[in-house]
Amino acid sequence: MEDIIRFDSVSQYNAFNQQETLHPLVSVIDLSTASPRRKTSQYLGCYGIFLKEVICGDLRYGKEYYDYQEGTLVFMAPGQVFTVENDGELYQPKGHALVFHPDLLHGTALNTRMHEYSLFGYQLNEALHLSKRETQIVMDCLGKISYELERAIDKHSKKLIVANIELFLDYCVRFYDRQFITRDTIHKGYLAKFEALLSSYFASDKPQTIGLPSVAYCASELNLSPKYFGDLVKRETGQSAQEYIQTKVIEAAKERIFDGSKTINEIAFELGFKYPQHFSRLFKQHIGQSPNEYRIFKDLN
């Protein structure tokens, strides 16, 4: 098992990259000034955003490789382990990194918003590809944070640093929205696969053995992270992935209700519900009638 280098603080990550710690909770690093390295697996106890400007080693998360080429951004949440690989030779990392500890955000508005930045949950082949103009905006944001770090810490430092991190993240959300549009054909292909996955799922015995399909299960089957998958479905359909799955459950239920030889309880278990009352509640929320009422109404018509 390969050794993992653990970074629980910004100063530890700075020391690894031979950088001076200007602030205990945040750092902007020009990776071209770090020492050459070989393959490393790293645990990051901080938020990390990495801009790679040239090919200088492949970034791996788990068993998969990031779609991480020239001019791309990758986002790491605290607690993630990632591996930087090459062919075993020393290589010089190039690019920039923004690393900040969660403690930096305590008492700030950004702290209450961090859950909104689902990009920190993206992983497999989901890096943000930047245009030249977007790369310049990223560098401008990093430059403003660096400017604050190079000044003596005063009562304004935290507010300005956090404000610039928030601005940076909001730009990244905009860039991801652009990327979802420019990769629309690819994403529609994923939606078609999602649709086929759900259809085959309910046509099999998986609901009885596994239960209702979860967002995490569907994302895994499509080789996407749950966060990226959820954002993709939301942007393409206007529904959350969970809402989309529930819609397919109701469609499958309506077909089965026409089979008068099956009780509502039997249909609920066939669809993967542990408790029939949960099925009845969901059905009424979507249709406005209980399953039994719906069956009687259809029989009368």
Side-chain angles (χ1 to χ4, degrees), residues 10-195:
V10 169
S11 60
Q12 288 174 341
Y13 192 74
N14 281 338
F16 176 76
N17 288 286
Q18 298 184 326
Q19 305 293 309
E20 180 184 1
T21 297
L22 301 176
H23 191 292
L25 298 178
V26 58
S27 183
V28 175
I29 300 172
D30 179 351
L31 294 172
S32 67
T33 63
S35 58
R37 62 193 62 166
R38 290 186 172 87
K39 172 181 175 179
T40 58
S41 292
Q42 304 172 12
Y43 167 93
L44 193 60
C46 307
Y47 289 99
I49 305 173
F50 304 92
L51 170 66
K52 187 175 181 184
E53 298 165 332
V54 295
I55 296 174
C56 60
D58 296 320
L59 189 64
R60 179 167 61 84
Y61 179 86
K63 295 182 179 179
E64 302 291 337
Y65 288 86
Y66 275 99
D67 187 358
Y68 189 65
Q69 296 296 325
E70 188 170 353
T72 56
L73 278 175
V74 168
F75 301 80
M76 296 288 182
Q80 291 185 323
V81 176
F82 60 97
T83 303
V84 179
E85 295 184 344
N86 63 347
D87 296 327
E89 302 295 329
L90 281 172
Y91 70 94
Q92 176 61 55
K94 293 184 180 179
H96 292 78
L98 169 63
V99 179
F100 57 98
H101 197 278
D103 288 353
L104 176 72
L105 308 181
H106 288 173
T108 70
L110 179 56
N111 193 46
T112 63
R113 290 192 61 207
M114 284 303 291
H115 69 280
E116 299 175 13
Y117 296 105
S118 54
L119 40 80
F120 282 103
Y122 294 176
Q123 47 189 49
L124 317 177
N125 299 319
E126 298 160 358
L128 175 58
H129 298 259
L130 299 173
S131 68
K132 288 184 178 180
R133 178 58 181 148
E134 289 168 347
T135 301
Q136 185 57 56
I137 292 172
V138 166
M139 292 304 300
D140 288 346
C141 290
L142 294 179
K144 290 177 182 177
I145 298 169
S146 294
Y147 172 79
E148 289 301 321
L149 295 177
E150 289 163 2
R151 296 174 56 89
I153 297 177
D154 59 27
K155 65 179 182 180
H156 303 288
S157 298
K158 178 176 177 175
K159 180 179 178 180
L160 290 169
I161 290 170
V162 172
N164 279 296
I165 290 175
E166 186 169 17
L167 176 64
F168 178 27
L169 293 176
D170 286 340
Y171 268 121
C172 291
V173 170
R174 169 187 276 182
F175 299 157
Y176 256 116
D177 282 344
R178 182 270 309 155
Q179 182 161 294
F180 271 98
I181 293 171
T182 57
R183 294 190 170 192
D184 185 61
T185 300
I186 296 173
H187 292 151
K188 287 189 184 303
Y190 276 116
L191 282 178
K193 292 178 182 178
F194 181 31
E195 183 81 19

